[in-house]
Amino acid sequence: MKKEKDQTSFELSLERLETLVDSMESGEATLEQSLEWFEEGMTLIKSCQDQLKYAEQKVQELIKNSEGKIIERDFE
């Protein structure tokens, strides 16, 4: 998985998710605003899950290398 310029980093996505949760928990937003935040949050969660899955695959590939050499492969 190659990083694209518009792809948000894992850490920034988590920070934004925390902000969204705090805002929604405050109870001060309208229903419409809460729905927008929820939709944004779901998109961020999917992005984080994809990045974690890629990292897990990469670690497994490195562990499976039986010759003692580290070989990196793109999964896409």
Side-chain angles (χ1 to χ4, degrees):
M1 181 166 99
K2 296 180 183 177
K3 281 201 167 195
E4 297 174 8
K5 289 182 182 181
D6 62 345
Q7 182 181 3
T8 305
S9 76
F10 183 81
E11 292 79 9
L12 290 176
S13 293
L14 284 181
E15 285 179 25
R16 180 62 182 151
L17 277 168
E18 289 175 6
T19 301
L20 290 171
V21 168
D22 290 342
S23 297
M24 291 176 74
E25 286 179 342
S26 75
E28 297 176 9
T30 64
L31 177 60
E32 292 167 355
Q33 181 64 62
S34 294
L35 286 172
E36 287 178 24
W37 288 339
F38 180 79
E39 185 175 1
E40 181 183 353
M42 294 304 293
T43 301
L44 290 168
I45 288 169
K46 174 73 169 108
S47 173
C48 288
Q49 287 174 332
D50 291 345
Q51 291 177 60
L52 287 171
K53 186 175 182 178
Y54 169 77
E56 182 180 18
Q57 288 173 335
K58 189 164 187 162
V59 168
Q60 288 175 351
E61 183 66 30
L62 292 172
I63 290 172
K64 287 181 182 177
N65 183 357
S66 62
E67 296 179 17
K69 298 178 186 174
I70 295 177
I71 299 172
E72 290 190 39
R73 292 188 338 198
D74 286 336
F75 289 97
E76 294 182 16

